[in-house]
Amino acid sequence: MLDTHWAECFDLKDPLIHTRKKAWDRFEQIGLPRSKQEAFQYVRKEFCYPKPASQKRVSQKSEEGLVFVDGFFDEASSTIPGPLIVLPIEKAMKSYGLFLQSRMQKVIQEEMDPFAALNGAFQGSGAFLYVPPKCKAALQIVHVLTQDGMASPRLHIYLGRGARLELEQISQGKSEFSNAFLDCVLDQDATMKWVDRSEGDFVAVRALLKKSSKLTTVSLGKLFRTSLKVELAEEEAEAELYGLAEVGGNTQTHFHALVEHIAPRTKSRQHFKSVLKESSRFSFEGKIYVHSEAQKTEAYQLNNNMVLSDDAAAHAKPNLEIFADDVKASHGATVGGLNEEQLFYLRTRGLSQAMATDWLIRGFCQEILDHA
Amino acid sequence: MLEIIDLSASVKGSPILNGLNLIIRKGKVHVLMGPNGAGKSTLANILAGHPAYEVTGGEVWFKGQNLLELEPEERACLGLFMSFQYPIEIPGVTNRQFLEDAMKALGKQGNIEKSMEALKIRKEFLDRSINEGFSGGEKKRNEILQMSLFQPDLAILDETDSGLDIDAMRIVAEGVNAMRTPENALLLITHYQRLLDYISPDYIHVMREGRIIQTGGAELAAILEEKGYA
């Protein structure tokens, strides 16, 4: 079915056709998830792939930020405070082509995730956001979904030296298949925080961090699968990845995280939690990869799961691969129900079982919510 | 106020209480003493309704109601309070939310800040998670704070004095004494006589192997202190 979509959307006049073609080739090399494939071991693998959505105009006025409609960057609806610059990718190719072209090529070539590659092939017209050195901004990314077609929004970001950016991603409406992609490069001393509160299917974040820059991601959305990959490419770069999934019914939520420590004295922290009710499913697969040059790395990874139903299941798969010898690293995972002693304590203070349960769940989630 | 008749209980199949009888009277301070493993904390937990303990026989009546039929929160609403020997930490829920909601659930009103001042608890504790990062003494004072706000008819203090230095014990004792009225009662579980220098008891009960083996007045504490439980 995807082959047909690809054949239909192939258009040599499309300014992005070369990028699309490379991404499609990469997607074909990776292939759709197979059973026993490690990164998708616990993830449902059957999806229906609707035709790529077509571009539509809606008049949507947002707070300061970027608006995507069905995966297409909507320049007219977006409000970007100066001196920040946001451009549709094909326009950005003219002014920032040197950076953008090589970055997009590298991201596509190194991609291991089929859905992130698929975004490259079927992307709506994406956007490029440039935050000049030392600038500070807080923006929203709004995904407006108006049709069932496949929505593939794509955003590339470059943060100049010492720039600070806070991004909150939200969504409105629904599509049959949404597959968002965010790429960011942080120059020296830049900091970026990305809080995801969107709903949909797939989200991929790719990040490259230069010297002493810091990225924090907080995944709080209702998504099927979030794939995060962070390269700590220069000294003292730091990444914190947090995620929380509260799921019930037949819903599944999956997190896949890879942090690569490439340079010395880099730091990372991953903390993901889930609260599972009814027949929901959750998995966390996280890897810390410490290259041999990355001495004095500090890397921590933790996954805590609260499973509140016999029919729910959590799968935790923390991984460490360390090739340097002077490293502080830890990983761990817990799976459990409500703490009976805590529940009893609250009940002896007059709170009903339902209320005490609710409080314990809220308390469990708070640790992650505090990072947003 | 509270009548325990021939109470037997076990945890994970092993019996801990063996036909215990005890009557607690309105306006009185009862002290429960006894060696480690006698079943003192088990008794406190059973009265509060801990689900891990299985009552295998006997009856408990509190203010005319069959206590054993009630859920822990119903017991609390009826006026029973237990100060935990090891107060539980609950991350992510602030003390302020907790105290306000518990008072609402129990239908009580009171000035939290004022009660905190009396117990020399610092204000910032209100915005911290329940008991998280509190020292042993701070946790115990937090229990007494709850007791003074909830104004129970019967308060069971399970080794509230253990782990307290002299100053903290004096503050706790003052808090306990301040809430005493002719209408309420207190059951103190303790190992040491020193708490009784600050809170004067009306009755002392000695517990051993899951039952009360001796009951007497305040003078019994001094005898026990000298001769032990043998």
Side-chain angles (χ1 to χ4, degrees), chain B residues 38 62 82-83 102 114 126 158 174 185 188 195 206 214:
Chain B
F62 177 54
M82 173 169 86
S83 163
K114 217 172 136 192
L126 275 180
D158 188 5
E174 279 167 12
L188 298 178
L195 180 66
V206 181
Q214 198 178 0

Side-chain angles (χ1 to χ4, degrees), chain A residues 341-342 345 347 349 359, chain B residues 71 73 82 93 143 146:
Chain A
E341 294 301 322
Q342 291 177 340
Y345 186 75
R347 292 178 74 193
R349 271 47 179 161
W359 274 48
Chain B
E71 297 293 336
E73 58 271 28
M82 173 169 86
V93 180
E143 297 288 286
Q146 293 171 35

Side-chain angles (χ1 to χ4, degrees), chain B residues 5 9-10 16 44 64 66 92 95 98 108 116 123 156 163-164 177 180 199 205 220:
Chain B
I5 306 159
S10 61
I16 302 195
N66 183 349
N95 241 352
F98 167 60
K108 300 289 180 183
M116 286 174 73
K123 269 199 178 139
I156 303 164
L164 293 186
N177 286 326
R180 289 188 59 190
I199 304 171
H205 310 278
L220 187 53

Side-chain angles (χ1 to χ4, degrees), chain B residues 155-200:
Chain B
I156 303 164
L157 306 189
D158 188 5
E159 299 203 17
T160 298
D161 53 334
S162 64
L164 293 186
D165 60 30
I166 285 293
D167 289 333
M169 181 134 67
R170 193 179 298 125
I171 293 166
V172 163
E174 279 167 12
V176 171
N177 286 326
M179 67 150 285
R180 289 188 59 190
T181 71
E183 295 305 313
N184 61 26
L186 206 58
L187 176 61
L188 298 178
I189 298 175
T190 182
H191 269 298
Y192 310 104
Q193 208 213 316
R194 54 175 202 167
L195 180 66
L196 308 181
D197 295 340
Y198 300 98
I199 304 171
S200 48

